Amino acid sequence: MHDDRTLVEARLKRVLQERVRPAVHPESVPLEVAVWHAPGEPVAVAEGLAAASAPIAVGDRWGAPWGTSWFTVTGTVPERWAGRTVEAILDLGFDENMPGFQCEGLVYRPDGTPVKGLNPRNQWVRVGAPVEGGEEVRLHIEAASNPVILDYHPFLPTRLGDKETAGTAPQYRLARMDLVVFDEAVWQLVIDLEVLGELMAELPVESARRYELLRAIGRALDVIDLQDVGGTAEAARAELAGVLSAPAVPSAHRISAVGHAHIDSAWLWPLRETVRKVARTAANMTALLRDEPDFVFVMSQAQQWAWIKEHRPEVWAEVTKAVAAGRFVPTGGMWVESDTNMPGSEAMARQFVHGKRFFIDEFGVDNDEVWLPDTFGFAAGLPQIIKAAGSRRLLTQKISWSRTNTFPHHTFLWEGIDGTRIFTHFPPVDTYNCSMSGREIAHAATNFKDKGVARHSLAPTGWGDGGGGTTREMVAKAARLRDLEGSATVTWETPAAFFDKAEAEYAHPPVWTGELYLELHRATLTSQAKTKRGNRRSESLLREAELWAATAAVRAGFAYPYAQLDRIWKTVLLHQFHDILPGSSIAWVHREAERTYAAVAGELEEIIGAAQRALAGDPAGGTVGGTVVFNAAPHTRAAVPAGGAARADANDAGGDGAGVSGPTAREGGGYLLDNGLLRVELDERGLVVSAYDLAADRETVAPGQAANLLQIHPDFPNMWDAWDVDEFYRNTVTDLTEAEEVTPGDEPGSVRVVRAFGASTVTQVLTLPPGAKRLDIRTEVDWHETEKFLKLAFPLDVHAERYAAESQYGHVYRPTHTNTSWEAAKFEACNHRFVHVGEPDWGVALVNDSTYGHDVTRTVRPADSGTTTTVRISLLRAPRFPDPETDQGLHHFHHALVPGATIGDAVREGHFVNLPERRVPGDAEVAPLVTLDDDAVVVTAVKLADDESGDVIVRFHESRGARARATLTPNFPISAAVPADLLERPLADPYPGGEPVSLRLRPFELVTLRLVRGR
């Protein structure tokens, strides 16, 4: 019987491939084809339809990289085909192995009505069912010749990732443009045989059901006349009807299939191409929904919906009808499927604010579910942000990509840093591009970790990234798998319906506490440093723009720029997409991002400047040069209140305390800096060999070691260059200790160090500011290395088994040891503004203005058995795929070493580095709109309410991981202070109006208050 099984499987494969599938289209006639190649960027649909075209033949090459070609196909349905189903097969030159990563098309009727998208596994367009014969066919195809970047080897450098370097050579060869007869019976037979053959292959070898299927398939193959497949298809199907009708066992795993097309908002294509990818997919899916009454399709990323509305109104009209019918479902409630590690607190919140508000305003849909199948790990602060946005469920698949440890659950409660728990599901099908294959369905059932207590899982079904979404073949397979013996059951359902069932059956799911760390793609915390710097700077400027514009609106009648800030926020949120901010997109994307961030900065600087001028008073007034100092940080800075401004003191030189001596020559070479709080020694190499906390009488730098040490590693991961750094990179390291120059800097209390290595140079200025226990390190790198990793190391004389890294609305602790494989896998991790390492009574912080990646290791010194905890900041990489010029050029970083720091100090200094004070001509004192009397409670946003009511929104959180009592005092008339969610909707009864608000906060608790202006 084993030999019989092998023979039948081989026979099935050949018969399907060589006889049955080709018989789906038994007759064909060629279409005539003409083409117009758009000379530049994509054109409007009307222009493409009206353009003069020239003949082109099947077999001809077409499509320069990133070009657009408008094909017109014409023909006549043969009279002899009357009464039959006819389709057009339009093959632009597809490679069916790569749906989503090559040329694509959108088909239009002559009047500009979209028909459907063309993709490698979706090349057909229905002409008639049945036809009368003699119909004239005329279709237009907007075809994008996107180059193949992936090319099966995602580590080969290519210049195709930027239109400026991609060249003009045609990329594709027109493969087929035909009218064909579609034989429904043969097509159904193909699906029958595929479903049963795939199921048979997954069943246990000695399973009775497997042999039942084997015999039925054998009988069907015997019935098929290989010279007349169409004439014998129904008889062959009859041989399979019995095994197809056998119901699944009651204990079968239950799969909720969700139509899906995961489309990266940019990746191996630019943003402008995603606009068209989304339109093609949406047109495809609305067409499929009309044909398949059980099918349900979901789409996340409000930005992509907004693109359809703005750029493809004809597609939008069909989408809105399908949404109204409940079958084209908005999901996720975020502006884009963003990275969640690196976006700052407020930016992460605004992803939900703008995403959810779009779906509410357009469709009245308020999502419960967060949909992030492909994001590269999840920060521990995310659960309370999800809850604060009014959502309560999360779906992701990406954690299944982890390379070291297998995550122990598929359905569980995820607990964040503040104790908030979110019901979470990881689809055990282990793909967000499920095709309804037997292998995938069987894997979902056998892989499901929660057997015995739960039996529901979800399968996102359809080709993504422009692959066209769900196909009619997938829907047909799902219909057969709805209730089939030997298989999990499959039902089309919305995410909400799935989650309702999953929650109902699993009353007490397990709990996972802390971040959901992806043990892969760790280098995305460092790649494309300019993109990351642009993001951080944009976040800081948005904070300032909202704060000062709101203050000026309340204090001086300033016109708050609602629409402008809304647009800028959406631009910044878009660029937090999980292949833009992580630095894993093609060169075009990051080159464009750099320009966009510069434009955003320019606009925000104008808003900030105008608001501050409105607040600063008379530029010629005052007694000390007429200068007002603005402080956007959430902590008081010298005499300037948090969120307010004060007149500059006559003796103020920009510092906040005593002076600084030095640099003075150090015995043995180098320099000494001392400001009465901290004494710093730099040796003749320009390395920090001592940073002495004078008050604590304690050294920061580990004995015999040097801090501010630049180290360079080879960086050639096994795969996925821009994404990955593999642990073996640490095996080889070069310390960059040679200095070209170690001299006093231009500013008092500073030393300038210049180093050269390879083809690159580094210039650092180390400054000890007056009155601050902080060593500022400003680093300029002119980087021209290839496949190298640059780190900045600080070996600290601190014994710590864990360290704190700032995350959204708090911080997360990670171990410094590698006791288990889970800890060892976190050899590169994310922080926001600070990393803090401490003993119970003394600690050290490293703060930054734009870096995220870092590593922390702990070693024991043989000489004194003391512990050295080394913190290393990741500065730059030089991967060659997908952008061969990644990080080349000039970069600037600002870090600060803060000895003797508590967590509170780390929070404060992190904000100070990212929100420097501003000096504006004037003579006014500007009271903050709100004050809080506890520094542990940190304000992250002060703004006017989005509904343009004039109410003030203030958002804050407990920042140190402890309980806090604080009093919030509005410094303007209010009638009420109303607890609100992130969308500024009331959550509870208001606090009494006109009085300070007494608050009690849990550790890391996030609070939003709407301060209703006095009427």
Side-chain angles (χ1 to χ4, degrees), residues 656 660-663 671-675 677-683 686-693 699-701 706-709 747-753 755 764-779 792-796 833 844-849 873 893-901 905 908-910 912-913:
D656 45 1
V660 59
S661 66
Y671 292 93
L672 179 69
L673 300 172
D674 190 328
N675 68 355
L677 299 172
L678 188 63
R679 185 175 65 238
V680 176
E681 295 184 44
L682 285 77
D683 67 9
L687 301 176
V688 177
V689 292
S690 175
Y692 204 82
D693 180 346
E699 177 59 64
T700 305
V701 181
N708 189 43
L709 173 65
E747 299 178 17
S750 67
V751 175
R752 183 173 184 265
V753 181
R755 305 185 194 280
Q764 291 185 302
V765 178
L766 291 82
T767 306
L768 192 58
K773 193 158 54 175
R774 180 185 76 235
L775 177 65
D776 286 316
I777 304 167
R778 288 179 170 82
T779 304
L792 184 61
F794 295 83
L796 307 174
R833 286 171 290 243
V844 182
L846 272 167
V847 301
N848 73 84
D849 73 341
I873 308 301
F893 306 97
H894 183 184
H895 294 87
L897 177 69
V898 190
D905 296 330
R908 182 190 65 247
E909 296 296 337
F912 283 174
V913 164

Side-chain angles (χ1 to χ4, degrees), residues 486-567:
S487 172
T489 67
V490 176
T491 306
W492 294 107
E493 291 186 303
T494 65
F498 159 74
F499 273 110
D500 286 346
K501 291 179 179 178
E503 284 187 296
E505 75 176 357
Y506 209 177
H508 303 289
V511 177
W512 183 271
T513 300
E515 65 185 328
L516 292 170
Y517 180 91
L518 177 63
E519 296 170 352
L520 192 72
H521 294 355
R522 303 167 181 89
T524 57
L525 302 173
T526 304
S527 297
Q528 298 286 1
K530 289 182 180 177
T531 299
K532 291 169 171 58
R533 183 173 188 81
N535 173 73
R536 181 76 68 83
R537 177 164 163 74
S538 297
E539 291 180 350
S540 296
L541 289 172
L542 276 162
R543 175 196 180 99
E544 289 193 81
E546 289 183 335
L547 169 64
W548 301 128
T551 305
V554 173
R555 299 267 187 259
F558 182 77
Y560 192 84
Y562 292 100
Q564 187 180 11
L565 287 171
D566 179 81
R567 173 177 51 79

Side-chain angles (χ1 to χ4, degrees), residues 42-45 70 106 108 114 142 275-276 278-280 306-319:
V43 300
V45 172
W70 283 84
L106 180 54
Y108 292 88
E142 180 191 19
V275 174
R276 302 199 295 175
V278 172
R280 296 176 199 121
W307 278 334
I308 299 175
K309 182 179 181 182
E310 178 182 358
H311 297 284
R312 288 291 193 270
E314 64 282 358
V315 177
W316 179 253
E318 295 300 313
V319 166

Side-chain angles (χ1 to χ4, degrees), residues 544-805:
E544 289 193 81
E546 289 183 335
L547 169 64
W548 301 128
T551 305
V554 173
R555 299 267 187 259
F558 182 77
Y560 192 84
Y562 292 100
Q564 187 180 11
L565 287 171
D566 179 81
R567 173 177 51 79
I568 292 171
W569 261 118
K570 288 172 179 174
T571 298
V572 173
L573 297 177
L574 167 59
H575 286 78
Q576 291 177 340
F577 177 75
H578 66 253
D579 275 307
I580 303 179
L581 180 55
S584 46
S585 290
I586 56 174
W588 187 347
V589 173
H590 293 288
R591 173 172 53 80
E592 191 173 65
E594 187 174 357
R595 289 200 303 265
T596 299
Y597 283 131
V600 162
E603 282 196 76
L604 292 173
E605 290 285 5
E606 288 182 2
I607 294 172
I608 293 165
Q612 289 181 338
R613 287 191 296 273
L615 291 165
D618 184 359
T623 59
V624 196
T627 300
V628 178
V629 181
F630 285 83
N631 175 26
H635 301 89
T636 298
R637 202 185 220 125
V640 185
R647 289 189 294 271
D649 185 88
N651 298 316
D652 177 22
D656 45 1
V660 59
S661 66
T664 58
R666 172 180 174 272
E667 184 178 352
Y671 292 93
L672 179 69
L673 300 172
D674 190 328
N675 68 355
L677 299 172
L678 188 63
R679 185 175 65 238
V680 176
E681 295 184 44
L682 285 77
D683 67 9
E684 72 282 0
R685 303 169 298 173
L687 301 176
V688 177
V689 292
S690 175
Y692 204 82
D693 180 346
L694 296 170
D697 191 22
R698 171 131 185 195
E699 177 59 64
T700 305
V701 181
Q705 300 192 54
N708 189 43
L709 173 65
L710 289 162
Q711 296 180 306
I712 197 163
H713 298 267
D715 186 16
F716 192 66
N718 289 337
M719 198 173 181
W720 300 109
D721 292 22
W723 292 258
D724 286 354
V725 56
D726 292 329
E727 191 172 14
F728 57 74
Y729 89 92
R730 291 178 171 180
N731 296 345
T732 305
V733 61
T734 301
D735 293 343
L736 303 178
T737 58
E738 297 296 323
E740 302 282 309
E741 177 185 332
V742 180
T743 59
D746 294 335
E747 299 178 17
S750 67
V751 175
R752 183 173 184 265
V753 181
V754 180
R755 305 185 194 280
F757 57 93
S760 305
T761 58
V762 175
T763 301
Q764 291 185 302
V765 178
L766 291 82
T767 306
L768 192 58
K773 193 158 54 175
R774 180 185 76 235
L775 177 65
D776 286 316
I777 304 167
R778 288 179 170 82
T779 304
E780 177 186 277
V781 186
D782 190 7
W783 180 248
H784 298 283
E785 304 306 303
T786 299
E787 295 166 350
K788 296 290 191 294
F789 196 1
L790 185 65
K791 291 263 190 176
L792 184 61
F794 295 83
L796 307 174
D797 191 11
V798 175
H799 177 82
E801 294 186 355
R802 66 177 188 173
Y803 73 96

